[in-house]
Amino acid sequence: MKAVVVHAAGDLRLEDRPDPACPAGSVIVDVEYGGICGSDLHYVSHGASGLSILADPMVLGHEVAGRISLLGEGVSGFAVGDAVTVHPAVYCGDCAGCLAGRTNLCPQVTYYGSAAHRPHTDGAFASRKAVPAGQLRRLPAGVTTRQAAVAEPLAVAIHAVARAGSLTGKDVLVNGAGPIGALLVAAARRAGAASVVASDLSETSLAIAKRMGADDVVLVGSGAQLPEVDVAFEASGAARALGGVLAAVRRGGTVVQVGNLPAGPVTAELAALVFREIDYRGTFRFADELDDALAYLADGLDVEPLLTHTFDAGDVAEAFVVASDRGTGSSKVLLKFV
């Protein structure tokens, strides 16, 4: 089978690997589509994603969908040919986070395509992947594997929106209109926001945000002012953006930090947190919101505006170049394995 493997910063390869065995309790998924995530890009460009440092070759990819081609012993409730996506996390089930339903905070969690532990956890950018049945989610009728390749980042957006509390009737700002930001726009709209404004440096990204449901957009650096809002989602990951985002939030409002900030000390203007009593909250991946994401897709959420480029897996090097360069007009870049 073919697999997308990062060996070190700047060293991305498409390799031939043996087909996986199918252990009891697992299935073989023939992967059809995979979405390139920011963490995949960071491993290739920097050899690390946040605090997770690449030490050994690792198969990338955690945003995938495909079809079951083989059932392992003891698997029930699924059939060969079922279209599925995969929950990429495995957690302990016994820690305080797991027992509270916050499985994303499990200190022992492993995640597809992550170097957080050693040995690293191989991802699913491969022609075939053995997946424990408990990590499978069957696609609802009418949801394609192409659409379901973004169910994982949509779940991230839904979780972030939940971290803000009720958005019903509130004015919302999404700063950073990359793939997650665009999905935040859609999730905030579904959560009952009265208005949703997106801000970004890229006109192309803002156009996508409009198509995903933004009422208005602000081109950063154009001289246009951010609107006054009740809740802001900071999705750019740029510490220098925090001051402007905080200034846009009304007294007593909320900022949810969605974009990954750089490791180590950062310089940011935070005085407004105190003087305006603003809640500043973090958000990390998701827990069970993958099911919500599939329900949104089944209910007609159109993610096609987000899916700007599709490459055959054999063209993975070009796909990563396009995904990492916003000047190409890319948002979510998909790899096609079939």
Side-chain angles (χ1 to χ4, degrees):
M1 70 171 189
K2 299 293 186 183
V4 176
V5 184
V6 60
H7 285 251
D11 188 357
L12 178 67
R13 309 179 195 179
L14 183 67
E15 297 182 352
D16 286 311
R17 291 197 168 189
D19 283 350
C22 188
S26 295
V27 310
I28 298 296
V29 175
D30 288 354
V31 177
E32 295 187 358
Y33 288 96
I36 297 175
C37 176
S39 64
D40 300 317
L41 296 173
H42 279 99
Y43 282 123
V44 173
S45 60
H46 305 300
S49 178
L51 300 178
S52 300
I53 311 299
L54 189 70
D56 304 295
M58 180 178 72
V59 179
L60 292 171
H62 54 266
E63 305 174 7
V64 298
R67 294 183 184 276
I68 295 173
S69 61
L70 183 65
L71 298 176
E73 181 182 351
V75 173
S76 61
F78 293 97
V80 170
D82 281 351
V84 294
T85 188
V86 179
H87 195 308
V90 176
Y91 41 85
C92 74
D94 295 322
C95 67
C98 287
L99 294 175
R102 303 179 73 179
T103 52
N104 57 314
L105 301 183
C106 173
Q108 303 303 319
V109 68
T110 59
Y111 212 81
Y112 279 3
S114 171
H117 301 281
R118 196 170 186 189
H120 301 332
T121 305
D122 277 337
F125 279 176
S127 306
R128 310 186 86 197
K129 178 71 174 176
V131 181
Q135 291 179 251
L136 297 174
R137 301 293 187 272
R138 184 183 289 103
L139 302 192
V143 177
T144 68
T145 53
R146 172 181 165 86
Q147 295 165 330
V150 295
E152 192 270 357
L154 177 55
V156 171
I158 294 170
H159 182 77
V161 164
R163 289 285 294 145
S166 175
L167 295 187
T168 301
K170 293 183 178 179
D171 298 317
V172 170
L173 169 69
V174 176
N175 184 65
I180 292 294
L183 291 168
L184 280 165
V185 167
R189 174 66 63 210
R190 292 241 163 182
S195 68
V196 182
V197 175
S199 57
D200 199 278
L201 291 163
S202 165
E203 292 183 349
T204 301
S205 295
L206 291 176
I208 292 170
K210 283 281 283 187
R211 294 179 65 192
M212 294 297 292
D215 297 290
D216 200 1
V217 296
V218 175
L219 182 64
V220 176
S222 67
Q225 296 297 307
L226 295 177
E228 188 177 63
V229 297
D230 302 297
V231 177
F233 296 93
E234 204 304 293
S236 74
R240 65 184 180 275
L242 274 172
V245 170
L246 288 167
V249 176
R250 295 183 176 111
R251 292 177 179 272
T254 300
V255 175
V256 179
Q257 184 65 46
V258 186
N260 287 330
L261 294 167
V266 297
T267 299
E269 188 177 346
L270 300 178
L273 284 175
V274 175
F275 292 104
R276 304 175 72 197
E277 200 170 271
I278 292 171
D279 287 341
Y280 184 42
R281 302 175 184 175
T283 183
F284 182 63
R285 292 177 180 163
F286 61 95
D288 297 323
E289 289 89 351
L290 192 61
D291 296 325
D292 298 319
L294 292 174
Y296 280 27
L297 293 171
D299 194 39
L301 175 61
D302 182 12
V303 294
E304 281 298 325
L306 195 67
L307 309 181
T308 55
H309 296 75
T310 302
F311 291 88
D312 288 336
D315 297 320
V316 64
E318 182 182 0
F320 269 70
V321 169
V322 170
S324 63
D325 183 0
R326 299 190 74 185
T328 63
S330 67
S331 187
K332 180 57 66 178
V333 176
L334 298 181
L335 293 175
K336 186 177 181 181
F337 288 87
V338 294

